[in-house]
């Protein structure tokens, strides 16, 4: 079973990050010097996936620009002997194939995934990565799921434990069978349950490996709960119609950059893990306790190194 394609739904409205997201994509929010979407694409490439189907809308042109050559800039950098500043992103562009599909109306995550139907083969498994969710771990989140999908020959969704009082913010799995401490067979999914109705505290995070059968489920559901077609409803439909669906406790630190506070945490978290930045960030954070020294000491130069 080869898994070489990833669908990246990026056509949401980003209401939690307005007004920034009025005209700019949140997927281009930087984590240090790389936009979030580049982290997602790098996670895929490290997982053996290099064929990308990005679901976009009219305010997302910057995503296409980022994964394209900029010959004028390259020429200027060449004259200054600074070509290597673009070598990382050029390598990514060379190694990848990008297809952009428009979702004309934001009719939900399920609808966004359905837009990719014509780019996926009839009996193919593919990754889905929500670019709001940044997962940092030595073994990329998608790679962890691909291993399980190959082993079980079935769809797999990523989950993480959340405190019981937070379950109502997530989709949560109901467990049919626990196979290992990290692997579960799913009987159903419940979207944003109340704490007392939650079947577990294993919340769905934004990584999936899905069978192309998901498209039949999305089409069969056809109804739009509160105006949206939900991916969780379609996965539920698959699980309840004889398709095995597994959940895997994905390893890593997860940041939800869909809100300003989540994005700030992601920047600080990634900076603290990066030897080029960690020392100065720690120093800066400790200086915040003594505001005067912070005011006079905030112009240190951090070099433009790749993450
Ligand atoms: P979210 O609900 O987390 O993101 O959707 P959003 O809709 O962009 O932001 P808020 O909630 O209004 O702040 C999860 C993922 O699904 C995509 C989003 O772009 C995000 O990556 N999505 C959602 C679509 O592509 N199309 C949709 O119609 C809805």
């Amino acid at each position: 079973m080869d898994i070489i394609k990833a669908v990246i739904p990026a056509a949401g409205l980003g209401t939690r990050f307005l007004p920034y997201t009025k005209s700019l994509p949140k997927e281009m929010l930087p984590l240090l010097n790389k936009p979030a979407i580049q982290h997602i694409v790098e996670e895929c490439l490290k997982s053996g996936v290099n064929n990308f189907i990005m679901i976009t809308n009219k305010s997302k042109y910057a995503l296409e620009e980022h994964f394209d050559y900029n010959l004028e800039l390259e020429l200027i950098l060449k004259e200054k002997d600074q070509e290597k500043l673009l070598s990382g992103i050029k390598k990514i562009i060379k190694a990848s194939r990008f297809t952009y599909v428009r979702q004309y109306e934001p009719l939900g995550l399920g609808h966004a995934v359905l837009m990719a139907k014509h780019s996926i083969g009839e009996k193919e498994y593919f990754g889905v990565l929500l670019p709001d969710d940044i997962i940092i771990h030595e073994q990329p989140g998608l790679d962890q799921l691909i291993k399980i999908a190959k082993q079980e020959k079935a769809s797999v969704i990523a989950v993480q434990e959340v405190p019981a009082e937070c379950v109502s913010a997530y989709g949560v799995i109901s467990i049919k069978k626990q196979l290992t401490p990290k692997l579960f067979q799913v009987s159903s999914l419940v979207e944003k349950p109340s704490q007392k109705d939650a079947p577990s505290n294993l919340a769905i995070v934004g990584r999936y490996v899905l069978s192309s059968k998901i498209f039949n489920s999305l089409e069969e559901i056809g109804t739009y709960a509160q105006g949206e077609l939900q991916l969780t409803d379609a996965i539920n439909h698959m699980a309840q119609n004889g398709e095995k669906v597994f959940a895997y406790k994905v390893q890593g630190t997860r940041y939800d950059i869909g809100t300003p506070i989540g994005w700030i945490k992601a920047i600080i978290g990634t900076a603290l893990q990066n030897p080029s930045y960690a020392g100065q960030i720690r120093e800066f954070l400790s200086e915040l306790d003594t505001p005067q020294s912070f005011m006079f000491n905030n112009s240190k130069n951090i070099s433009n190194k790749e993450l």
Side-chain angles (χ1 to χ4, degrees):
M1 181 205 284
D2 282 337
I3 299 172
I4 55 157
K5 293 181 191 163
V7 175
I8 304 181
L13 292 178
T15 50
R16 290 168 299 154
F17 224 120
L18 280 168
Y20 173 85
T21 40
K22 182 168 172 275
S23 61
L24 295 169
K26 62 183 167 183
E27 296 78 14
M28 289 302 291
L29 284 166
L31 298 178
L32 307 185
N33 58 346
K34 285 182 195 171
I37 192 71
Q38 187 173 332
H39 285 271
I40 299 290
V41 166
E42 287 182 10
E43 177 180 331
C44 290
L45 291 174
K46 285 185 200 146
S47 309
V49 168
N50 69 349
N51 194 323
F52 300 98
I53 300 114
M54 298 236 193
I55 314 300
T56 63
N57 63 28
K58 67 181 167 56
S59 60
K60 307 283 178 158
Y61 65 90
L63 300 180
E64 291 189 44
E65 295 291 325
H66 188 68
F67 295 108
D68 197 355
Y69 292 157
N70 180 336
L71 297 177
E72 203 181 334
L73 178 59
E74 279 177 43
L75 218 61
I76 297 167
L77 290 178
K78 196 170 180 184
E79 277 167 18
K80 295 171 180 247
D81 213 13
Q82 288 185 321
E83 295 145 289
K84 67 175 188 307
L85 293 176
L86 288 180
S87 61
I89 181 68
K90 281 187 74 178
K91 236 189 247 170
I92 290 172
I93 296 169
K94 266 199 190 137
S96 310
R97 182 173 163 193
F98 295 97
T99 305
Y100 297 89
V101 181
R102 281 278 179 113
Q103 186 192 21
Y104 298 113
E105 282 181 88
L107 293 175
L109 175 58
H111 183 262
V113 171
L114 188 54
M115 297 289 100
K117 181 181 173 186
H118 300 292
S119 307
I120 305 288
E122 253 184 45
K123 288 189 177 158
E124 192 171 357
Y125 284 82
F126 61 100
V128 175
L129 295 92
L130 307 193
D132 283 5
D133 272 347
I134 302 292
I135 297 176
I136 308 285
H137 193 262
E138 253 169 49
Q139 185 186 8
L142 181 62
D143 192 51
Q144 297 176 40
L145 294 195
I146 287 177
K147 296 239 147 64
I148 302 293
K150 287 185 173 171
Q151 177 190 306
E152 303 296 334
K153 299 187 177 45
S155 299
V156 189
I157 56 185
V159 290
Q160 282 195 335
E161 263 176 57
V162 295
E165 62 274 18
C166 298
V167 285
S168 61
Y170 294 92
V172 171
I173 64 160
S174 174
I175 299 166
K176 183 169 189 177
K177 195 163 44 167
Q178 177 157 14
L179 291 103
T180 72
K182 287 190 207 144
L183 182 60
F184 308 85
Q185 189 176 344
V186 173
S187 61
S188 65
L189 308 174
V190 188
E191 194 58 57
K192 301 188 168 72
S194 66
Q195 189 174 339
K196 73 171 174 38
D197 295 333
S200 74
N201 68 337
L202 292 172
I204 303 166
V205 297
R207 298 291 182 277
Y208 310 76
V209 171
L210 297 174
S211 145
S212 54
K213 291 191 177 137
I214 193 73
F215 298 119
N216 302 337
S217 292
L218 284 164
E219 284 172 337
E220 270 184 45
I221 292 173
T223 52
Y224 291 63
Q226 288 151 3
E228 294 197 344
L229 182 54
Q230 297 298 351
L231 185 61
T232 42
D233 289 345
I235 298 173
N236 231 342
H237 185 272
M238 279 206 307
Q240 290 173 354
N241 285 277
E243 279 294 307
K244 280 189 177 166
V245 176
F246 292 88
Y248 184 71
K249 256 197 218 175
V250 79
Q251 301 300 289
T253 310
R254 168 187 172 260
Y255 299 105
D256 174 7
I257 62 152
T259 65
I261 190 72
W263 176 57
I264 291 167
K265 285 182 184 172
I267 295 174
I268 296 174
T270 48
L272 288 175
Q273 280 175 358
N274 184 305
S276 305
Y277 295 84
Q280 291 192 50
I281 296 296
R282 274 185 213 289
E283 203 180 315
F284 169 70
L285 291 175
S286 68
E287 283 169 5
L288 288 179
D289 290 335
T290 50
Q292 280 107 332
S293 66
F294 156 61
M295 281 177 65
F296 295 108
N297 201 16
N298 65 355
S299 60
K300 286 177 190 159
N301 182 33
I302 293 179
S303 66
N304 181 13
K305 285 200 184 129
E306 296 256 341
L307 264 173

